[in-house]
Amino acid sequence: AQTAASVIKSCVTLRGEDDFESSLKSVITEVQQKADSFCCVLLTLDKLNKKYNILAEKFRNREGKVANYEKHLTYEVVESWEKTIGNTLGVIVKDKFDMEIVKQKNPLWAKSLADSKVENLILYPLKQSKKIIGYIFITNFDTKKVIELQEMLDLTAFFLSSEISSHFLMEKLEHLSTTDILTGVKNRNAMNTRVDLYVKGEHTIEAPFGVVFADLNGLKQLNDSQGHAAGDKLIQDAARIIKSVFPKDEIYRAGGDEFVVISEKCEESDFNKKVLELKEKTRDGSAVCLAVGSVWNMYGEDIQGTMHLADEEMYKEKDKFYEVHADMRRRINI
């Protein structure tokens, strides 16, 4: 009954709080206190980049944190857990006898535990289908509660797996819906949503702010002569340059060859300096040539109007480019 109540409380917490990280922290804190353990840690695996990420941690002492044990808890150690667990639900180490078994099965992990002064632990995997996506573990817990804690962690790990998988899926879907896959900057959908929410009064843009419109010159000609792979690389190079000049600002790919930058809370001199730097890096004759238009707004009003003016300035620059390269204009109009 106590185990059921504790697990239900964790489920309510996971579903009841708006902040996902806070809900995980609450669950981990509940487990740590229930187990009277040195720590309770929740982590996920990133096998592609060979690292793990701490989602939540709770230590008995306030100064405790996983970062203090990084030299012992390496990715190689965490990666080795899957083989040690095998087909079992998890690993429970109650005493020195159990620790000797760990030493025989996984010497690397055993050394890590010894170096971290871990005397006992319970480790459960978090799974999505049959794939391990992370782990929850407690160390140096009250062994008199081992059966109760085993039941609690078994069920808690199941619900955590479900919630974390769902959260990551929603994050991935949101990322795909708002990110331009080719360049990694935000897409037109994200820009339109941003502007719509501003117009509705649900979002603000901190003043003063600046808007930049940048359009690639010669993309169609490159696509025609060298193929779309070359054109895609040019678009990626343009995004890379814009990100280097405006690293902390909102950057959108608004169209095939058009980018928009919204730079919040920027002084006019700093904004104009960045615009000039972008123009210098992408002037006529450069590997990436951009027509750039910009407007700085002191009062933070009428984002749509500011964007329209920046767009008009960009087209003036584009017209100047095609006055010099009249042959390219003719090819476009064919």
Side-chain angles (χ1 to χ4, degrees):
Q2 289 181 341
T3 300
S6 181
V7 173
I8 290 172
K9 182 179 178 181
S10 296
C11 292
V12 171
T13 300
L14 287 170
R15 289 297 177 94
E17 294 194 26
D18 294 331
D19 188 286
F20 182 66
E21 292 184 2
S22 294
S23 68
L24 294 180
K25 179 71 172 180
S26 297
V27 171
I28 293 306
T29 299
E30 173 76 11
V31 173
Q32 185 274 325
Q33 292 176 349
K34 191 81 173 177
D36 189 20
S37 61
F38 174 70
C39 72
C40 180
V41 177
L42 182 66
L43 60 83
T44 55
L45 288 176
D46 181 355
K47 292 186 177 181
L48 182 62
N49 296 304
K50 292 190 176 298
K51 65 178 184 178
Y52 63 83
N53 301 303
I54 303 298
L55 288 185
E57 58 183 340
K58 174 62 178 176
F59 281 72
R60 184 180 291 145
N61 56 67
R62 293 182 179 181
E63 294 74 26
K65 53 185 177 180
V66 175
N68 296 336
Y69 300 89
E70 281 183 344
K71 63 180 180 179
H72 306 310
L73 189 63
T74 63
Y75 174 78
E76 289 71 25
V77 168
V78 175
E79 188 179 39
S80 73
W81 292 347
E82 183 171 0
K83 187 176 180 181
T84 304
I85 291 173
N87 296 322
T88 64
L89 293 176
V91 173
I92 300 175
V93 178
K94 305 183 297 298
D95 48 35
K96 292 181 179 180
F97 177 79
D98 292 341
M99 197 67 77
E100 280 299 316
I101 296 176
V102 172
K103 190 174 182 180
Q104 294 171 18
K105 289 187 173 182
N106 191 336
L108 178 66
W109 186 21
K111 183 178 187 309
S112 169
L113 294 173
D115 292 341
S116 302
K117 295 181 173 54
V118 173
E119 298 176 358
N120 56 58
L121 68 94
I122 300 178
L123 170 76
Y124 271 84
L126 307 176
K127 293 185 177 182
Q128 183 180 31
S129 297
K130 294 183 179 181
K131 178 184 176 184
I132 293 179
I133 59 172
Y135 295 91
I136 180 173
F137 66 85
I138 60 175
T139 66
N140 295 353
F141 61 93
D142 182 355
T143 55
K144 294 190 294 294
K145 300 179 179 180
V146 64
I147 295 179
E148 177 186 347
L149 294 174
Q150 177 186 357
E151 293 174 343
M152 182 177 69
L153 282 172
D154 187 9
L155 294 171
T156 301
F158 174 80
F159 288 111
L160 282 171
S161 298
S162 176
E163 290 298 318
I164 291 169
S165 297
S166 176
H167 178 77
F168 283 172
L169 175 60
M170 292 304 297
E171 277 193 336
K172 185 175 182 179
L173 290 174
E174 184 178 354
H175 176 77
L176 290 173
S177 70
T178 60
T179 303
D180 176 57
I181 303 303
L182 180 64
T183 62
V185 302
K186 297 180 180 181
N187 61 20
R188 186 179 186 87
N189 177 56
M191 183 181 75
N192 290 340
T193 300
R194 175 78 159 101
V195 174
D196 288 345
L197 290 174
Y198 170 82
V199 172
K200 292 176 182 177
E202 297 179 27
H203 276 190
T204 59
I205 295 178
E206 293 193 61
F209 71 90
V211 174
V212 177
F213 269 67
D215 194 279
L216 271 165
N217 291 320
L219 177 62
K220 184 180 186 303
Q221 289 69 33
L222 183 66
N223 282 333
D224 291 345
S225 62
Q226 298 185 34
H228 286 278
D232 286 347
K233 185 179 183 306
L234 183 64
I235 293 170
Q236 289 172 326
D237 289 342
R240 176 180 50 77
I241 293 172
I242 294 171
K243 284 189 283 187
S244 72
V245 178
F246 296 93
K248 297 181 179 180
D249 297 309
E250 300 172 28
I251 303 172
Y252 303 88
R253 185 182 174 198
D257 54 1
E258 186 174 77
F259 295 88
V260 175
V261 180
I262 299 177
S263 181
E264 289 187 272
K265 207 173 181 181
C266 62
E267 295 302 321
E268 185 175 16
S269 59
D270 293 335
F271 176 70
N272 289 338
K273 183 179 178 181
K274 289 182 178 181
V275 172
L276 181 60
E277 181 184 353
L278 180 62
K279 289 182 176 181
E280 285 294 317
K281 288 184 174 182
T282 60
R283 62 186 177 184
D284 192 5
S286 302
V288 176
C289 180
L290 292 172
V292 178
S294 64
V295 173
W296 181 78
N297 186 317
M298 181 177 182
Y299 302 105
E301 299 175 353
D302 192 12
I303 180 66
Q304 291 174 309
T306 305
M307 293 176 74
H308 177 70
L309 292 174
D311 190 31
E312 287 185 336
E313 289 297 315
M314 181 271 291
Y315 272 105
K316 289 178 183 178
E317 292 297 312
K318 205 162 188 69
D319 287 341
K320 290 179 183 179
F321 174 83
Y322 286 120
E323 285 176 7
V324 176
H325 302 278
D327 56 323
M328 296 178 71
R329 178 182 288 278
R330 284 197 299 272
R331 290 180 64 186
I332 286 176
N333 292 333
I334 290 175

